[in-house]
Structures are given as C-alpha cells and as structure tokens.
Amino acid sequence: MGSILFRHVNLSDGRNGVDVLIDGDRIAAIGPGLAAPEGAELVQGDGLLLAPPFVDAHFHLDATLSYGLPRVNQSGTLLEGIALWGELKPQLAQEALVERALQYCDWAVARGLLAIRSHVDVCDERLLAVEALLHVRQKVRPYLDLQLVAFPQDGLLRSPKALANLKRALDLGVDVVGGIPHFERTMAEGAESVRLLCELAAERGLPVDMHCDESDDPLSRHIETLAFHTQRLGMQGRVTGSHLTSMHSMDNYYASKLIPLIAEAQVHAVANPLINITLQGRHDSYPKRRGMTRVPELMAAGVNVGFGHDCVMDPWYALGSADMLEVAQMGLHVAQMTSQAQMRACFDAVTVNSARILGLADYGIEVGRPADMVLLQASSPVEAIRLRATRLMVVRRGAVLSRTPPAIAHVQLPGRPETVDWALQRAAPPTRASR
Ligand SMILES: [Zn+2]
C-alpha cells in the first residue's frame, strides 16, 4: 500500500480547496499545497467533493435482493411484507442468503457505502439468518463494517420463543439488541418488551436499536417508553429509535412534550425515507399522510438523526441500489428540508450522524484517522444529493476499493458544448479527477 495525494478537493464539512495526503492506511496530512511523496498516486480534485464514506443506519441484509421470492407483495403494505417474509423464512437456504448479502455489499462498496447496521430476524428456531450474517460480517470485515441487530420480527412477547432466540443470537455475537414494540399484542405488552430489552442490553453492555412505532397510529407512543428506560438505565447515547413514523401523525401538543424527552435521553432517531413514504399512509384515502418522522424538528431539538435505506429489493420494497444519496434526496423532499443548511443536514444524515449511531470510532477526514473516503463527481454535499453523484473513487484504509468513470454525456448539438455533466459551474471538467 502506497500513498495517494488528492489535490484541491472540497470536504463535506466546508473546508474547500485543500489537499489530502494518504500514507499507508492513514490520513497523513490535510492542507493547501502539500508536497507529493515519491511514487504517490496524484488525483487532481479540481474542487470535487471528498467525503467520508456513506453509513447506512438501518438495513435488512437477511431479506435483501429476495424480491419476488416466493411471490411479490401485491398490496405493497408493511403487514403483507411481514407475512410474505414469514412465507419465505422456512424456505431460506443459508448459502443463498449469504450470496445475496455479499452481492449487496459489493453494490454498497461501489456506492461508497462502507458501514451498515443491519437488523437480522431472530424469530426462526434455526437462527439461519443470524449464522449467515455472522459469516458475512466476518467475510466483509476487510472492506465494510457490518453491525448486526437481533431483531424479533414477529414480536418479542407475541412470538413464543423470540426472547430465548434473541438471547441465543446475542450469545453468538450479534452486536445490538433490537425490538418491535408496536407489533406486540397490546400497548402494555409493547411497553413491557421495551423494558425487558433495555434491561437485557444494560446487563450485557450492548446498544439498543428498535423498530419503534412504525405505524400511522398517533397513539403508538413506545418511543416515550424507550426514552424513559434509556434514562433510567443510564444508557444515554447508546439507544436508537428506528422509524418513529407514528410521530408524523401525533398531536402537536404531545409531540412538543415528547421531542425534548428524546433529546434529554440522547436517544438517536433513524428515519427511512424511501420506505416510510411508500409503506405509511396506506389506510388513508386523501389527503394521504407521508408518514416519515419529524426530522427537522428532532434535529432542531438537538436529537441526532440518521437516515437508513431499510430495504432493497425485498418483500417490502422492489427498488434501490445501495445509493445513500438516493435516500438523502428522498428524505430532503419528504421533510421539505430545502434550505442550504437543511440540505447539508440531509447529507450528514447519511454520513456523520449515522456514524454516531453506529458508534464508529475514528470516522471522518482528519489527520491520523483511517484513510476511508469517497471522491464524488460533485463540488458540495448539496450538489452530491442533487446529482446522486458518481462515486469516482472509494478508498478504505488507504486502498482503492472501487473506481467509476465520471458521468459525462457526449452530445451533438449545433453551436453547443460537446459534453454535458450537469454541473452548474466548475473550474475544470471532472474527467481530470481520474488519475
Ligand atoms: Zn427495518
């Protein structure tokens, strides 16, 4: 492994026109006009964006790329998706599951997505998916950080052996305690599942990440209980509420009490924009609710909010390609986060905020940190979202894992330029970014 010098790049935190030097697996220097060491690969950035890798705070690697198996979701609802997953589960073969997960990780790396928190269903006596994803976690370790959440899809208390299986999954090395309180039989059982799971996590010193209130029911308030137990057990900063879609439909007065409680308990929030906008509001006629949680309001209150992809080509969602910029773009639109600062915040939601949720140490482009980064065919985070920019280079621990040629159309129009790259203005064409 040698060294790479990026000349004149913009960083996603606003430092513009700097050089970044990678030496071995670390970032050796950041500053203007750095000298190129002997034999270094020189990359002329010309104002392109060099960002830390994308991070997906919420995914389901056990179900991904299974679209159409054993049939497609006709209604497109969350509940038919869960039923469909129940049909597929007994038919799952470990080898095929591993292969699909590995293929998705290939897609992820090529998109500069180098850290994923994946829930894994533990409501299967065989724990087949758990074993498969533990194997995948080991296999991808050199190029992708995979974190696994023990997820009782059929309900911790509703499904007879879920608690025992969840504990077995943790014993096998699954990293995070999951849950699904809104899917338990009653509100009281949902609250009880939150208490049990938080206590289990506290006992074992593990983080918590629950599917919480993924519902349009404004009275689904398990996030309140999750924040309460987080604080009671001293787990501030280690607990995440995923989805929180019921907050979209809640009474504003109650939300004004709830959001400060979430902030006080330092519970992280994850929205899954592509999935929330397609799965929620399904019982509505018109007007149809969007269903996504209150992202700008949570952020304004100081809550750390990440975005997840949640699903790609599985029982719940037929689309997707591991593109966290697509996720950020949908989040921006659904939440109407259109100011410059809010658009940048949507970029943070798929990078630095989600890295905090995963607890990734040493994340970010700083001297001395691991050389993990993505060179994008865009000049800023906002332009990256607008263009869903091409990942020109993906680097991990100083090694180039992926290169994609710049997106440039060659056009033949009378009296017009010969190429189009959709950039409003740039000092030089992006072709110079490749070596
Ligand atoms: Zn999920």
Side-chain angles (χ1 to χ4, degrees), residues 209-357:
D209 188 340
M210 282 186 203
H211 284 66
C212 195
D213 305 322
E214 187 180 7
S215 161
D216 294 318
D217 175 4
L219 297 178
S220 187
R221 295 178 170 185
H222 297 296
I223 177 59
E224 182 189 80
T225 309
L226 184 62
F228 171 75
H229 289 298
T230 300
Q231 210 154 24
R232 179 176 70 84
L233 297 165
M235 297 178 73
Q236 289 91 338
R238 284 163 43 204
V239 174
T240 302
S242 277
H243 288 292
L244 307 178
T245 52
S246 72
M247 285 182 69
H248 185 95
S249 299
M250 278 175 187
D251 169 68
N252 285 332
Y253 185 85
Y254 175 66
S256 77
K257 179 200 172 193
L258 174 65
I259 291 174
L261 289 176
I262 299 171
E264 211 176 283
Q266 296 166 44
V267 170
H268 307 284
V270 174
N272 296 296
L274 294 162
I275 305 311
N276 301 150
I277 194 70
T278 46
L279 290 186
Q280 302 310 130
R282 286 275 174 161
H283 295 357
D284 295 355
S285 55
Y286 288 93
K288 260 184 210 295
R289 284 168 287 180
R290 297 162 187 229
M292 194 169 78
T293 195
R294 304 187 184 206
V295 174
E297 292 79 9
L298 285 163
M299 284 180 169
V303 177
N304 181 46
V305 183
F307 287 162
H309 206 315
D310 200 2
C311 301
V312 170
M313 302 191 77
D314 68 10
W316 295 272
Y317 189 60
L319 307 173
S321 68
D323 185 352
M324 293 309 292
L325 287 171
E326 183 183 5
V327 173
Q329 193 180 65
M330 182 58 76
L332 183 160
H333 283 81
V334 175
Q336 301 182 332
M337 293 176 68
T338 51
S339 75
Q340 283 290 318
Q342 286 181 319
M343 290 193 284
R344 283 193 298 272
C346 288
F347 190 87
D348 290 344
V350 293
T351 52
V352 60
N353 297 4
S354 288
R356 267 182 72 195
I357 291 170

Side-chain angles (χ1 to χ4, degrees), residues 119-131:
H119 296 251
V120 50
D121 190 352
V122 297
C123 291
D124 161 32
E125 246 339 79
R126 304 170 296 165
L127 289 186
L128 179 138
V130 170
E131 282 179 4

Side-chain angles (χ1 to χ4, degrees), residues 130-145:
V130 170
E131 282 179 4
L133 290 193
L134 285 167
H135 176 66
V136 169
R137 184 180 70 181
Q138 185 64 29
K139 259 199 116 128
V140 302
R141 185 159 285 162
Y143 53 90
L144 188 146
D145 293 312

